[in-house]
Amino acid sequence: MHSAILLIEFGSLLLGLGLLGRLAARLGFSAIPLYLLAGLAFGEGGLLPLGASEGFIATGAEIGVILLLLMLGLEYTASDLVTNLKAHYPAGLVDFALNALPGAVVALLLGWGPVAAVVLAGVTWISSSGVIAKVLGELGRIGNRETPVILSVLVLEDLAMAVYLPIVTAVVAGAGLAAGSVTLAIALGVAGLVLFAAVRYGRVISRFVSSDDPEKLLLVVLGLTILVAGLAQQLQVSAAVGAFLVGIALSGEVAEGAHTLLSPLRDLFAAVFFVFFGLHTDPASIPPVLLPALGLAAVTALTKIATGYWAARRAGISVKGRWRTGGALVARGEFSIVIAGLAVTAGIEPSLGPLATAYVLILVILGPITARYTEPLAMRWSRRFRGGKDMPRPVRPPEDARAEAPVGD
């Protein structure tokens, strides 16, 4: 009987998520807020609380986080990461200063303490790579000159996760300074070892994993990833970091093949993860934190726009491209929820989960809007500020030089 109820609940949940995903695609925005709302509806205090399938959903949610980070690692090679660090680290520092500090300050002002401050800083810091990539594709900006700047900021944030997640894991677990330092040292040591192995022996590793049979490739990559994630967690390092490093170590045709095979699994388990986060958030706990969430969303939307503008200006992008860069970076999503989920699981601060849920809901909806309208609104405001006069047009390069230039301003 228990098994039958589990199948009915879980099957209904997956069917509902599929329908919500269709609705989001038809409306032209990310499905993440709908998945979070579904979790709120099925969680404690919701319209139809789940019972039998909650433990199964918890396991699926953990696999979802692992696959999110694995797929992120597959996007980059070790040499790409090193190159991005050398070329764009100032933008990463500005991004951290402008976007992590507001979250930490709000947590302290609310009296939540330093541990919650570290967690909320991460929630407000990291943009949503998935949402931003989707929006850039929908707006036809993949070939624009500012797009490499956007991607560089996102890559630096992803790299920072490899250091930040072990810190958060140690902090929320209540580890002391010595234990936390050991955890971080292990994490950095493992990350450095994997990056070294990926640079020097990436082809050997990829050849070992490679297979012409999609079934065998899927099983080997998925098994290796979950194994390494489990070992990382056993060493008090985040399982997500272990998955991220496995993705970096794989390259070439193996990475492309694994990406194709694992994308549907990632989307499935990531949706389950967002629902699981919503399940642990009582809808009645959101209204009390809605005002702080709105204020924090407004501030950090502006700081992300400022971050993108500064990074694009440093890269020599035109004024219009700078505003487009800033507007594109506003969306928060999957990794903000991953970070908040660590604190929720550890029971750090009861109000942190509801605040993070409301914050992500606001910005994952606002992000596509700012990506589309920040630049035209900024240009209109600039002309009004100049007394209605149009801004002088930039001097165009010769026709032959223009033919070789990338698309976009």
Side-chain angles (χ1 to χ4, degrees), residues 15 29 68 88 129 146 218 264 293 362 406:
L15 177 61
F29 64 86
L68 278 170
H88 301 289
S129 301
E146 73 272 5
L218 175 64
I362 294 167

Side-chain angles (χ1 to χ4, degrees), residues 81-133:
L81 296 180
V82 173
T83 301
N84 273 293
L85 274 177
K86 289 180 178 179
H88 301 289
Y89 73 89
L93 296 175
V94 171
D95 184 28
F96 171 78
L98 291 182
N99 298 288
L101 290 180
V105 169
V106 166
L108 294 175
L109 290 176
L110 291 173
W112 290 355
V115 175
V118 172
V119 174
L120 195 57
V123 171
T124 59
W125 174 19
I126 306 296
S127 296
S128 172
S129 301
V131 174
I132 291 169

Side-chain angles (χ1 to χ4, degrees), residues 212-382:
D212 294 331
D213 187 338
E215 178 186 348
K216 294 182 177 65
L217 178 62
L218 175 64
L219 290 173
V220 171
V221 173
L222 188 59
L224 178 64
T225 302
I226 295 178
L227 174 63
V228 171
L231 291 174
Q233 193 158 316
Q234 192 68 24
L235 293 170
Q236 301 301 312
V237 180
S238 171
V241 173
F244 179 68
L245 294 174
V246 170
I248 291 174
L250 301 178
S251 61
E253 293 182 3
V254 172
E256 293 177 8
H259 192 284
T260 301
L261 292 171
L262 289 169
S263 289
L265 281 178
R266 176 205 55 190
D267 295 339
L268 168 63
F269 286 106
V272 172
F273 167 74
F274 294 126
V275 171
F276 177 73
F277 186 85
L279 288 175
H280 284 72
T281 303
D282 187 350
S285 64
I286 290 182
V289 297
L290 189 57
L291 192 58
L294 283 168
L296 191 57
V299 170
T300 53
L302 293 175
T303 54
K304 272 293 182 184
I305 292 173
T307 298
Y309 188 97
W310 185 89
R313 181 180 181 182
R314 181 175 178 271
I317 305 299
S318 70
V319 174
K320 288 185 177 181
R322 296 172 198 172
W323 287 115
R324 286 197 295 266
T325 302
L329 290 171
V330 167
R332 310 306 201 273
E334 57 271 26
F335 295 114
S336 295
I337 297 299
V338 168
I339 294 165
L342 294 173
V344 170
T345 303
I348 296 301
E349 168 57 49
S351 298
L352 200 153
L355 176 63
T357 301
Y359 175 80
V360 169
L361 281 171
I362 294 167
L363 287 185
V364 83
I365 294 171
L366 182 64
I369 297 173
T370 59
R372 185 183 296 270
Y373 296 111
T374 296
E375 179 251 318
L377 288 176
M379 292 299 99
R380 182 178 299 177
W381 179 84
S382 178

